[in-house]
Amino acid sequence: MTTDTDRELQIGIIVGSIRHGRKGAQVGRWVADLAGERDDARFRLIELADYDLPLLTAETVPGAANREYDSEQRQRWGRDIDACDAFVFVTPEYNHGVPGAFKNAFDSIGPEWSDKAVGFVSYGSESGVRAVEQWRQIVATFNMVDVRAQVSMATFTEFDEQGGFTPAERRAKELGSLLDQLLARARALRDAAR
Ligand SMILES: Cc1cc2nc3c(=O)[nH]c(=O)nc-3n(C[C@H](O)[C@H](O)[C@H](O)COP(=O)(O)O)c2cc1C
């Protein structure tokens, strides 16, 4: 018999930049490739840009919408987030904060985030650490559990002149720690919900 405890954890790796030519695509692929070498969870790369999410203008606030949203794009986004047990947010920093499109996507739904674990991989000219500090405050609203380990990379030194991603050697180990912590929290949250 398979119990809920045996169910394989689903981890969403969300690339939160939607810009054309975004550096985030390479960072997300790197996270997904290293995560894919593990056998303790199933990982899915989620490109926010693929959802073409409109700005949130609905009268009903998402938290009160009972998962019934005002557009097919938002509905699909909600379904895919709902299917995940935990997340890696791959986030750039825009003007010392979280990117607007990613925040809109976060705000666009509600209970799909609740009581799930999250870890952060950031990048930017100053490594995106301010964006991550803001995300840690934001995710608290849905009682999400954020892990301490994080990967923060400087675009000046971890991308080459052609724009190719060249992460420092220690980043793989840092990502491993992040995923270890994330999966431990995700397992604990799943078991607590039984
Ligand atoms: C609107 C905007 C604002 C930015 N502000 C910051 C910033 O405050 N801090 C930082 O480290 N980098 C900043 N950057 C540089 C980004 O880190 C860099 O462009 C990065 O490639 C953005 O990620 P993306 O290519 O995946 O969109 C900014 C970039 C944009 C487009």
Side-chain angles (χ1 to χ4, degrees):
M1 187 180 76
T2 304
T3 67
D4 197 44
T5 313
D6 302 322
R7 187 174 60 77
E8 194 172 32
L9 289 167
Q10 313 280 328
I11 313 298
I13 299 163
I14 305 176
V15 174
S17 167
I18 62 168
R19 284 193 322 117
H20 300 300
R22 56 192 168 279
K23 287 190 164 64
Q26 294 184 70
V27 180
R29 172 50 54 200
W30 173 78
V31 173
D33 285 348
L34 287 179
E37 293 172 6
R38 303 173 67 111
D39 59 6
D40 49 358
R42 186 179 303 171
F43 296 89
R44 174 178 176 190
L45 187 58
I46 297 174
E47 279 274 4
L48 175 57
D50 290 344
Y51 291 81
D52 199 19
L53 271 188
L55 283 175
L56 177 65
T57 56
E59 185 174 354
T60 306
V61 297
N66 201 23
R67 289 179 165 84
E68 297 291 334
Y69 301 116
D70 62 339
S71 69
E72 180 45 42
Q73 295 101 308
R74 222 181 302 283
Q75 209 61 42
R76 183 176 152 234
W77 172 245
R79 273 198 306 274
D80 287 354
I81 297 304
D82 230 0
C84 297
D85 297 292
F87 306 93
V88 178
F89 281 13
V90 177
T91 185
E93 176 176 298
Y94 288 170
N95 297 324
H96 293 200
V98 300
F102 199 178
K103 179 63 161 56
N104 177 63
F106 187 83
D107 293 343
S108 285
I109 54 177
E112 295 85 348
W113 300 114
S114 287
D115 300 304
K116 295 179 179 176
V118 58
F120 302 96
V121 173
S122 68
Y123 56 96
S125 38
E126 292 168 57
S127 305
V129 292
R130 288 172 293 225
V132 173
E133 288 305 305
Q134 291 188 2
W135 275 122
R136 290 185 187 281
Q137 294 187 350
I138 292 163
V139 300
T141 193
F142 286 116
N143 217 20
M144 294 179 85
V145 178
D146 56 324
V147 301
R148 166 71 180 82
Q150 97 184 34
V151 185
S152 293
M153 295 176 281
T155 46
F156 286 126
T157 53
E158 297 182 69
F159 284 84
D160 63 26
E161 284 178 3
Q162 287 72 44
F165 185 40
T166 55
E169 204 178 324
R170 69 176 192 277
R171 301 306 182 199
K173 193 159 178 249
E174 291 173 357
L175 180 61
S177 301
L178 185 160
L179 294 173
D180 287 346
Q181 292 184 10
L182 185 71
L183 289 170
R185 296 305 181 283
R187 263 183 236 111
L189 288 166
R190 179 189 60 189
D191 296 348
R194 291 180 70 222

PDB file of all heavy atoms in Angstrom, residues 15 17-25 92-97 123-128 130 155 159, ligand 1:
ATOM      1  N   VAL A  15      11.358  30.253 -12.479  1.00  0.00           N
ATOM      2  CA  VAL A  15      12.163  31.347 -13.019  1.00  0.00           C
ATOM      3  C   VAL A  15      11.264  32.577 -13.075  1.00  0.00           C
ATOM      4  O   VAL A  15      10.306  32.634 -13.850  1.00  0.00           O
ATOM      5  CB  VAL A  15      12.707  30.999 -14.423  1.00  0.00           C
ATOM      6  CG1 VAL A  15      13.422  32.196 -15.041  1.00  0.00           C
ATOM      7  CG2 VAL A  15      13.649  29.800 -14.334  1.00  0.00           C
ATOM      8  N   SER A  17      11.881  35.880 -13.764  1.00  0.00           N
ATOM      9  CA  SER A  17      12.025  36.966 -14.740  1.00  0.00           C
ATOM     10  C   SER A  17      11.290  36.570 -16.007  1.00  0.00           C
ATOM     11  O   SER A  17      11.355  35.412 -16.436  1.00  0.00           O
ATOM     12  CB  SER A  17      13.510  37.199 -15.072  1.00  0.00           C
ATOM     13  OG  SER A  17      13.602  38.041 -16.218  1.00  0.00           O
ATOM     14  N   ILE A  18      10.606  37.529 -16.614  1.00  0.00           N
ATOM     15  CA  ILE A  18       9.922  37.231 -17.875  1.00  0.00           C
ATOM     16  C   ILE A  18      10.517  38.037 -19.035  1.00  0.00           C
ATOM     17  O   ILE A  18       9.965  38.046 -20.126  1.00  0.00           O
ATOM     18  CB  ILE A  18       8.400  37.502 -17.771  1.00  0.00           C
ATOM     19  CG1 ILE A  18       8.117  38.983 -17.472  1.00  0.00           C
ATOM     20  CG2 ILE A  18       7.758  36.603 -16.719  1.00  0.00           C
ATOM     21  CD1 ILE A  18       6.642  39.364 -17.653  1.00  0.00           C
ATOM     22  N   ARG A  19      11.650  38.687 -18.802  1.00  0.00           N
ATOM     23  CA  ARG A  19      12.253  39.503 -19.868  1.00  0.00           C
ATOM     24  C   ARG A  19      12.730  38.640 -21.024  1.00  0.00           C
ATOM     25  O   ARG A  19      13.197  37.518 -20.816  1.00  0.00           O
ATOM     26  CB  ARG A  19      13.485  40.250 -19.320  1.00  0.00           C
ATOM     27  CG  ARG A  19      13.191  41.426 -18.451  1.00  0.00           C
ATOM     28  CD  ARG A  19      14.445  42.280 -18.220  1.00  0.00           C
ATOM     29  NE  ARG A  19      15.661  41.512 -18.074  1.00  0.00           N
ATOM     30  CZ  ARG A  19      16.691  41.591 -18.917  1.00  0.00           C
ATOM     31  NH1 ARG A  19      16.641  42.387 -19.973  1.00  0.00           N
ATOM     32  NH2 ARG A  19      17.782  40.865 -18.712  1.00  0.00           N
ATOM     33  N   HIS A  20      12.654  39.189 -22.233  1.00  0.00           N
ATOM     34  CA  HIS A  20      13.300  38.519 -23.355  1.00  0.00           C
ATOM     35  C   HIS A  20      14.800  38.494 -23.075  1.00  0.00           C
ATOM     36  O   HIS A  20      15.361  39.491 -22.613  1.00  0.00           O
ATOM     37  CB  HIS A  20      13.024  39.278 -24.657  1.00  0.00           C
ATOM     38  CG  HIS A  20      11.553  39.369 -24.974  1.00  0.00           C
ATOM     39  ND1 HIS A  20      10.770  38.257 -25.162  1.00  0.00           N
ATOM     40  CD2 HIS A  20      10.726  40.433 -25.080  1.00  0.00           C
ATOM     41  CE1 HIS A  20       9.524  38.636 -25.408  1.00  0.00           C
ATOM     42  NE2 HIS A  20       9.463  39.949 -25.345  1.00  0.00           N
ATOM     43  N   GLY A  21      15.444  37.382 -23.313  1.00  0.00           N
ATOM     44  CA  GLY A  21      16.881  37.263 -23.083  1.00  0.00           C
ATOM     45  C   GLY A  21      17.249  37.235 -21.615  1.00  0.00           C
ATOM     46  O   GLY A  21      18.393  37.523 -21.246  1.00  0.00           O
ATOM     47  N   ARG A  22      16.303  36.884 -20.777  1.00  0.00           N
ATOM     48  CA  ARG A  22      16.560  36.883 -19.332  1.00  0.00           C
ATOM     49  C   ARG A  22      17.701  35.949 -18.947  1.00  0.00           C
ATOM     50  O   ARG A  22      17.782  34.819 -19.435  1.00  0.00           O
ATOM     51  CB  ARG A  22      15.287  36.477 -18.564  1.00  0.00           C
ATOM     52  CG  ARG A  22      14.721  35.145 -18.998  1.00  0.00           C
ATOM     53  CD  ARG A  22      13.322  34.915 -18.432  1.00  0.00           C
ATOM     54  NE  ARG A  22      12.665  33.788 -19.064  1.00  0.00           N
ATOM     55  CZ  ARG A  22      12.056  33.852 -20.254  1.00  0.00           C
ATOM     56  NH1 ARG A  22      12.017  34.993 -20.909  1.00  0.00           N
ATOM     57  NH2 ARG A  22      11.496  32.789 -20.773  1.00  0.00           N
ATOM     58  N   LYS A  23      18.542  36.444 -18.026  1.00  0.00           N
ATOM     59  CA  LYS A  23      19.604  35.596 -17.483  1.00  0.00           C
ATOM     60  C   LYS A  23      19.001  34.474 -16.639  1.00  0.00           C
ATOM     61  O   LYS A  23      19.574  33.409 -16.466  1.00  0.00           O
ATOM     62  CB  LYS A  23      20.562  36.440 -16.645  1.00  0.00           C
ATOM     63  CG  LYS A  23      21.476  37.340 -17.467  1.00  0.00           C
ATOM     64  CD  LYS A  23      22.561  37.948 -16.597  1.00  0.00           C
ATOM     65  CE  LYS A  23      23.707  38.533 -17.417  1.00  0.00           C
ATOM     66  NZ  LYS A  23      23.323  39.661 -18.257  1.00  0.00           N
ATOM     67  N   GLY A  24      17.840  34.729 -16.115  1.00  0.00           N
ATOM     68  CA  GLY A  24      17.196  33.754 -15.241  1.00  0.00           C
ATOM     69  C   GLY A  24      16.980  32.398 -15.892  1.00  0.00           C
ATOM     70  O   GLY A  24      16.970  31.374 -15.203  1.00  0.00           O
ATOM     71  N   ALA A  25      16.829  32.375 -17.213  1.00  0.00           N
ATOM     72  CA  ALA A  25      16.595  31.087 -17.888  1.00  0.00           C
ATOM     73  C   ALA A  25      17.796  30.164 -17.693  1.00  0.00           C
ATOM     74  O   ALA A  25      17.642  28.967 -17.429  1.00  0.00           O
ATOM     75  CB  ALA A  25      16.325  31.323 -19.367  1.00  0.00           C
ATOM     76  N   PRO A  92      15.700  37.476  -9.913  1.00  0.00           N
ATOM     77  CA  PRO A  92      16.606  38.613 -10.027  1.00  0.00           C
ATOM     78  C   PRO A  92      16.193  39.698  -9.033  1.00  0.00           C
ATOM     79  O   PRO A  92      15.179  39.552  -8.336  1.00  0.00           O
ATOM     80  CB  PRO A  92      16.391  39.086 -11.464  1.00  0.00           C
ATOM     81  CG  PRO A  92      14.964  38.762 -11.766  1.00  0.00           C
ATOM     82  CD  PRO A  92      14.624  37.542 -10.935  1.00  0.00           C
ATOM     83  N   GLU A  93      16.999  40.749  -8.988  1.00  0.00           N
ATOM     84  CA  GLU A  93      16.635  41.928  -8.179  1.00  0.00           C
ATOM     85  C   GLU A  93      16.441  43.084  -9.148  1.00  0.00           C
ATOM     86  O   GLU A  93      17.312  43.361  -9.967  1.00  0.00           O
ATOM     87  CB  GLU A  93      17.777  42.236  -7.207  1.00  0.00           C
ATOM     88  CG  GLU A  93      17.559  43.497  -6.386  1.00  0.00           C
ATOM     89  CD  GLU A  93      18.683  43.690  -5.375  1.00  0.00           C
ATOM     90  OE1 GLU A  93      18.841  42.827  -4.494  1.00  0.00           O
ATOM     91  OE2 GLU A  93      19.398  44.703  -5.481  1.00  0.00           O
ATOM     92  N   TYR A  94      15.297  43.735  -9.059  1.00  0.00           N
ATOM     93  CA  TYR A  94      15.040  44.905  -9.884  1.00  0.00           C
ATOM     94  C   TYR A  94      14.865  46.115  -8.960  1.00  0.00           C
ATOM     95  O   TYR A  94      13.984  46.114  -8.086  1.00  0.00           O
ATOM     96  CB  TYR A  94      13.755  44.746 -10.700  1.00  0.00           C
ATOM     97  CG  TYR A  94      13.818  43.753 -11.858  1.00  0.00           C
ATOM     98  CD1 TYR A  94      12.656  43.394 -12.525  1.00  0.00           C
ATOM     99  CD2 TYR A  94      15.026  43.194 -12.296  1.00  0.00           C
ATOM    100  CE1 TYR A  94      12.682  42.504 -13.587  1.00  0.00           C
ATOM    101  CE2 TYR A  94      15.057  42.298 -13.360  1.00  0.00           C
ATOM    102  CZ  TYR A  94      13.885  41.959 -13.999  1.00  0.00           C
ATOM    103  OH  TYR A  94      13.903  41.076 -15.051  1.00  0.00           O
ATOM    104  N   ASN A  95      15.698  47.123  -9.176  1.00  0.00           N
ATOM    105  CA  ASN A  95      15.596  48.358  -8.387  1.00  0.00           C
ATOM    106  C   ASN A  95      15.469  48.086  -6.890  1.00  0.00           C
ATOM    107  O   ASN A  95      14.540  48.544  -6.213  1.00  0.00           O
ATOM    108  CB  ASN A  95      14.437  49.226  -8.903  1.00  0.00           C
ATOM    109  CG  ASN A  95      14.685  49.676 -10.326  1.00  0.00           C
ATOM    110  OD1 ASN A  95      15.822  49.955 -10.699  1.00  0.00           O
ATOM    111  ND2 ASN A  95      13.653  49.718 -11.153  1.00  0.00           N
ATOM    112  N   HIS A  96      16.417  47.287  -6.426  1.00  0.00           N
ATOM    113  CA  HIS A  96      16.557  46.960  -5.006  1.00  0.00           C
ATOM    114  C   HIS A  96      15.386  46.169  -4.435  1.00  0.00           C
ATOM    115  O   HIS A  96      15.156  46.179  -3.221  1.00  0.00           O
ATOM    116  CB  HIS A  96      16.795  48.220  -4.154  1.00  0.00           C
ATOM    117  CG  HIS A  96      18.100  48.883  -4.409  1.00  0.00           C
ATOM    118  ND1 HIS A  96      18.683  49.755  -3.521  1.00  0.00           N
ATOM    119  CD2 HIS A  96      18.957  48.804  -5.455  1.00  0.00           C
ATOM    120  CE1 HIS A  96      19.835  50.189  -4.017  1.00  0.00           C
ATOM    121  NE2 HIS A  96      20.016  49.622  -5.196  1.00  0.00           N
ATOM    122  N   GLY A  97      14.623  45.520  -5.311  1.00  0.00           N
ATOM    123  CA  GLY A  97      13.480  44.773  -4.785  1.00  0.00           C
ATOM    124  C   GLY A  97      13.154  43.562  -5.637  1.00  0.00           C
ATOM    125  O   GLY A  97      13.902  43.193  -6.554  1.00  0.00           O
ATOM    126  N   TYR A 123      20.249  36.395  -8.244  1.00  0.00           N
ATOM    127  CA  TYR A 123      21.362  36.890  -9.048  1.00  0.00           C
ATOM    128  C   TYR A 123      21.094  38.346  -9.360  1.00  0.00           C
ATOM    129  O   TYR A 123      19.944  38.806  -9.319  1.00  0.00           O
ATOM    130  CB  TYR A 123      21.526  36.055 -10.341  1.00  0.00           C
ATOM    131  CG  TYR A 123      20.264  36.026 -11.162  1.00  0.00           C
ATOM    132  CD1 TYR A 123      20.074  36.917 -12.219  1.00  0.00           C
ATOM    133  CD2 TYR A 123      19.228  35.162 -10.835  1.00  0.00           C
ATOM    134  CE1 TYR A 123      18.896  36.924 -12.941  1.00  0.00           C
ATOM    135  CE2 TYR A 123      18.034  35.164 -11.542  1.00  0.00           C
ATOM    136  CZ  TYR A 123      17.879  36.050 -12.595  1.00  0.00           C
ATOM    137  OH  TYR A 123      16.698  36.062 -13.281  1.00  0.00           O
ATOM    138  N   GLY A 124      22.178  39.069  -9.634  1.00  0.00           N
ATOM    139  CA  GLY A 124      22.043  40.486  -9.943  1.00  0.00           C
ATOM    140  C   GLY A 124      23.402  41.121  -9.857  1.00  0.00           C
ATOM    141  O   GLY A 124      24.372  40.473  -9.443  1.00  0.00           O
ATOM    142  N   SER A 125      23.491  42.381 -10.244  1.00  0.00           N
ATOM    143  CA  SER A 125      24.808  43.014 -10.175  1.00  0.00           C
ATOM    144  C   SER A 125      25.311  43.031  -8.739  1.00  0.00           C
ATOM    145  O   SER A 125      26.512  43.019  -8.492  1.00  0.00           O
ATOM    146  CB  SER A 125      24.768  44.409 -10.796  1.00  0.00           C
ATOM    147  OG  SER A 125      23.565  45.057 -10.494  1.00  0.00           O
ATOM    148  N   GLU A 126      24.400  43.033  -7.792  1.00  0.00           N
ATOM    149  CA  GLU A 126      24.813  42.915  -6.390  1.00  0.00           C
ATOM    150  C   GLU A 126      24.229  41.644  -5.780  1.00  0.00           C
ATOM    151  O   GLU A 126      23.859  41.601  -4.600  1.00  0.00           O
ATOM    152  CB  GLU A 126      24.413  44.172  -5.636  1.00  0.00           C
ATOM    153  CG  GLU A 126      25.240  45.372  -6.119  1.00  0.00           C
ATOM    154  CD  GLU A 126      24.706  46.693  -5.620  1.00  0.00           C
ATOM    155  OE1 GLU A 126      24.588  46.854  -4.402  1.00  0.00           O
ATOM    156  OE2 GLU A 126      24.392  47.545  -6.466  1.00  0.00           O
ATOM    157  N   SER A 127      24.093  40.643  -6.642  1.00  0.00           N
ATOM    158  CA  SER A 127      23.731  39.270  -6.247  1.00  0.00           C
ATOM    159  C   SER A 127      22.281  39.060  -5.829  1.00  0.00           C
ATOM    160  O   SER A 127      21.897  37.947  -5.472  1.00  0.00           O
ATOM    161  CB  SER A 127      24.664  38.748  -5.133  1.00  0.00           C
ATOM    162  OG  SER A 127      26.003  38.843  -5.532  1.00  0.00           O
ATOM    163  N   GLY A 128      21.506  40.099  -5.834  1.00  0.00           N
ATOM    164  CA  GLY A 128      20.077  39.919  -5.580  1.00  0.00           C
ATOM    165  C   GLY A 128      19.682  39.660  -4.140  1.00  0.00           C
ATOM    166  O   GLY A 128      18.544  39.252  -3.873  1.00  0.00           O
ATOM    167  N   ARG A 130      19.003  41.684  -1.741  1.00  0.00           N
ATOM    168  CA  ARG A 130      17.887  42.512  -1.223  1.00  0.00           C
ATOM    169  C   ARG A 130      16.552  41.953  -1.671  1.00  0.00           C
ATOM    170  O   ARG A 130      15.573  41.983  -0.913  1.00  0.00           O
ATOM    171  CB  ARG A 130      18.044  43.972  -1.682  1.00  0.00           C
ATOM    172  CG  ARG A 130      19.180  44.699  -0.979  1.00  0.00           C
ATOM    173  CD  ARG A 130      19.423  46.049  -1.587  1.00  0.00           C
ATOM    174  NE  ARG A 130      19.936  45.920  -2.944  1.00  0.00           N
ATOM    175  CZ  ARG A 130      20.950  46.612  -3.446  1.00  0.00           C
ATOM    176  NH1 ARG A 130      21.552  47.511  -2.689  1.00  0.00           N
ATOM    177  NH2 ARG A 130      21.349  46.441  -4.680  1.00  0.00           N
ATOM    178  N   THR A 155      26.132  38.973 -11.204  1.00  0.00           N
ATOM    179  CA  THR A 155      26.108  38.873 -12.671  1.00  0.00           C
ATOM    180  C   THR A 155      27.442  39.321 -13.293  1.00  0.00           C
ATOM    181  O   THR A 155      27.818  38.842 -14.354  1.00  0.00           O
ATOM    182  CB  THR A 155      24.955  39.705 -13.263  1.00  0.00           C
ATOM    183  OG1 THR A 155      24.937  40.993 -12.642  1.00  0.00           O
ATOM    184  CG2 THR A 155      23.626  39.039 -13.047  1.00  0.00           C
ATOM    185  N   PHE A 159      28.658  35.611 -14.939  1.00  0.00           N
ATOM    186  CA  PHE A 159      28.282  35.544 -16.354  1.00  0.00           C
ATOM    187  C   PHE A 159      29.479  36.068 -17.143  1.00  0.00           C
ATOM    188  O   PHE A 159      30.143  37.010 -16.706  1.00  0.00           O
ATOM    189  CB  PHE A 159      27.042  36.395 -16.649  1.00  0.00           C
ATOM    190  CG  PHE A 159      25.762  35.755 -16.189  1.00  0.00           C
ATOM    191  CD1 PHE A 159      25.333  35.891 -14.880  1.00  0.00           C
ATOM    192  CD2 PHE A 159      24.997  34.990 -17.057  1.00  0.00           C
ATOM    193  CE1 PHE A 159      24.162  35.282 -14.445  1.00  0.00           C
ATOM    194  CE2 PHE A 159      23.825  34.383 -16.635  1.00  0.00           C
ATOM    195  CZ  PHE A 159      23.410  34.525 -15.322  1.00  0.00           C
TER     196      PHE A 159
HETATM  197  C1  LIG B   1      14.468  47.032 -14.188  1.00  0.00           C
HETATM  198  C2  LIG B   1      15.782  46.505 -13.709  1.00  0.00           C
HETATM  199  C3  LIG B   1      16.271  46.895 -12.492  1.00  0.00           C
HETATM  200  C4  LIG B   1      17.464  46.360 -11.992  1.00  0.00           C
HETATM  201  N1  LIG B   1      17.860  46.674 -10.735  1.00  0.00           N
HETATM  202  C5  LIG B   1      18.867  45.962 -10.165  1.00  0.00           C
HETATM  203  C6  LIG B   1      19.137  46.100  -8.789  1.00  0.00           C
HETATM  204  O1  LIG B   1      18.505  46.835  -8.069  1.00  0.00           O
HETATM  205  N2  LIG B   1      20.115  45.350  -8.245  1.00  0.00           N
HETATM  206  C7  LIG B   1      20.844  44.453  -9.003  1.00  0.00           C
HETATM  207  O2  LIG B   1      21.704  43.772  -8.454  1.00  0.00           O
HETATM  208  N3  LIG B   1      20.632  44.347 -10.339  1.00  0.00           N
HETATM  209  C8  LIG B   1      19.663  45.062 -10.926  1.00  0.00           C
HETATM  210  N4  LIG B   1      19.375  44.933 -12.249  1.00  0.00           N
HETATM  211  C9  LIG B   1      20.286  44.147 -13.080  1.00  0.00           C
HETATM  212  C10 LIG B   1      19.797  42.737 -13.136  1.00  0.00           C
HETATM  213  O3  LIG B   1      20.268  42.035 -12.039  1.00  0.00           O
HETATM  214  C11 LIG B   1      20.281  42.059 -14.407  1.00  0.00           C
HETATM  215  O4  LIG B   1      19.803  42.821 -15.530  1.00  0.00           O
HETATM  216  C12 LIG B   1      19.755  40.665 -14.528  1.00  0.00           C
HETATM  217  O5  LIG B   1      20.207  40.120 -15.740  1.00  0.00           O
HETATM  218  C13 LIG B   1      18.241  40.649 -14.473  1.00  0.00           C
HETATM  219  O6  LIG B   1      17.768  39.335 -14.533  1.00  0.00           O
HETATM  220  P1  LIG B   1      17.033  38.787 -15.839  1.00  0.00           P
HETATM  221  O7  LIG B   1      18.033  38.951 -16.968  1.00  0.00           O
HETATM  222  O8  LIG B   1      16.789  37.335 -15.554  1.00  0.00           O
HETATM  223  O9  LIG B   1      15.804  39.584 -16.032  1.00  0.00           O
HETATM  224  C14 LIG B   1      18.211  45.468 -12.783  1.00  0.00           C
HETATM  225  C15 LIG B   1      17.728  45.091 -14.042  1.00  0.00           C
HETATM  226  C16 LIG B   1      16.521  45.584 -14.492  1.00  0.00           C
HETATM  227  C17 LIG B   1      15.980  45.115 -15.817  1.00  0.00           C
END
